[in-house]
């Protein structure tokens, strides 16, 4: 079964509070989402393998360590996932970025796929699927299925806020995919919004309504 990691680092929790606050405007919201994404990327890359190299410091030769040629792919779910990409690329600049476009039908809450563009070698990459919100789980589950259909094998899911309902859907549909979040909230409301959540992540990121 997929494991759930909640990043309770004080900086992440502090910034998440301002992300949740309805009085936080678009500019600050966008900056904070990227900052939290950077901090989450730091935690999520903890298990990247290292290899030994030999280098010369100004003083002596020494054995040191670098990340060993692991290929990473970031897969934001459009639109709101875009808000976390730059923050992660700050730490993993060599990562390739693929896009999965999905929107949630407001009536049925079912995900509708409208765009998929991926790096050609996704089967070789450690992929991080990115979306600020894991609500019913329909969008993330459909995105992960779309990636697996195209050959993806190693997948992680990174979200800011998750509902218990969404976590269960991922665990049922994709038990091989671990979930990394900054918070697990109480529940979904009748419109499929996370409570307390942060509202509509896409609208708050891009200033739309
Ligand atoms: C939001 C969010 C997730 C999805 C989560 O996207 O960014 O992709 O809803 O809901 P779910 O877990 O119930 O599927 P939305 O459909 O609002 O599209 P947008 O990112 O283009 O605003
Ligand atoms: N999508 C959002 O942007 N927010 C929610 O609370 C649920 C789905």
């Amino acid at each position: 079964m997929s494991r759930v990691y909640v990043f309770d680092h004080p900086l992440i929790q502090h910034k998440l509070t301002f992300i949740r606050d309805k009085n936080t405007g678009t500019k600050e919201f966008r900056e904070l989402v990227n900052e939290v994404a950077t901090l989450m990327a730091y935690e999520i890359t903890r298990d990247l393998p290292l290899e030994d190299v030999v280098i010369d410091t100004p003083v002596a030769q020494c054995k040191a360590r670098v990340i060993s040629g692991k290929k990473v792919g970031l897969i934001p779910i459009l639109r709101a996932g875009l808000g976390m990409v730059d923050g992660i690329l700050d730490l993993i600049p060599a990562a390739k970025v693929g896009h999965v476009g999905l929107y949630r039908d407001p009536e049925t809450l079912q995900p509708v796929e409208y765009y998929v563009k991926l790096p050609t070698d996704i089967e070789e990459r450690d992929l991080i699927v990115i979306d600020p919100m894991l609500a019913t789980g329909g969008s993330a589950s459909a995105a992960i299925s779309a990636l697996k259909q195209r050959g993806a094998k190693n997948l992680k899911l990174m979200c800011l806020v998750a509902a218990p309902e969404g976590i269960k859907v991922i665990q049922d549909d994709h038990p091989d995919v671990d979930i990394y979040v900054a918070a697990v909230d109480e529940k979904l409301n009748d419109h499929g919004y996370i409570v307390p959540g942060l509202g509509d992540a896409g609208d708050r990121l891009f200033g739309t309504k």
Side-chain angles (χ1 to χ4, degrees):
M1 177 148 101
S2 32
R3 286 161 294 189
V4 180
Y5 298 91
V6 182
F7 293 140
D8 57 0
H9 191 290
L11 285 173
I12 294 177
Q13 294 306 313
H14 177 85
K15 290 173 190 293
L16 180 61
T17 298
F18 292 94
I19 289 171
R20 288 184 187 279
D21 190 331
K22 70 176 184 182
N23 295 313
T24 299
T26 302
K27 175 178 178 290
E28 204 186 343
F29 185 90
R30 199 180 291 144
E31 289 167 356
L32 286 163
V33 168
N34 266 313
E35 287 169 19
V36 171
T38 305
L39 294 168
M40 292 184 76
Y42 176 78
E43 298 277 11
I44 209 172
T45 49
R46 206 171 265 288
D47 60 356
L48 282 180
L50 293 167
E51 65 187 23
D52 291 337
V53 292
V54 177
I55 57 158
D56 294 308
T57 77
V59 179
Q61 193 173 71
C62 76
K63 208 164 77 173
R65 295 187 299 167
V66 294
I67 290 168
S68 69
K70 198 79 180 163
K71 292 176 164 184
V72 175
L74 309 181
I75 315 288
I77 302 178
L78 305 180
R79 261 178 324 167
L82 290 176
M84 299 173 75
V85 171
D86 287 345
I88 302 174
L89 285 175
D90 282 349
L91 280 195
I92 321 174
K96 295 261 170 71
V97 182
H99 296 85
V100 175
L102 292 171
Y103 68 88
R104 197 171 70 151
D105 184 288
E107 300 295 324
T108 65
L109 301 184
Q110 291 305 304
V112 182
E113 183 182 301
Y114 60 87
Y115 185 76
V116 179
K117 182 75 179 174
L118 303 171
T120 51
D121 55 354
I122 55 161
E123 65 286 344
E124 295 168 24
R125 290 185 179 269
D126 281 354
L127 300 177
I128 307 175
V129 178
I130 308 160
D131 195 325
M133 311 308 281
L134 181 64
T136 65
S139 302
S141 180
I144 292 167
S145 296
L147 292 167
K148 287 181 174 174
Q149 276 162 22
R150 291 163 174 85
K153 292 186 178 65
N154 299 307
L155 289 143
K156 293 175 173 170
L157 174 63
M158 187 202 279
C159 305
L160 287 186
V161 180
E165 294 90 332
I167 289 174
K168 180 161 185 339
V169 165
I170 299 301
Q171 288 178 326
D172 288 347
D173 294 355
H174 302 290
D176 55 311
V177 178
D178 288 339
I179 304 165
Y180 299 80
V181 297
V184 179
D185 277 10
E186 191 189 328
K187 60 177 183 183
L188 296 177
N189 68 15
D190 293 343
H191 305 288
Y193 275 82
I194 299 175
V195 181
L198 52 80
D200 188 304
D203 283 342
R204 293 196 65 192
L205 273 167
F206 297 109
T208 51
K209 188 67 202 134

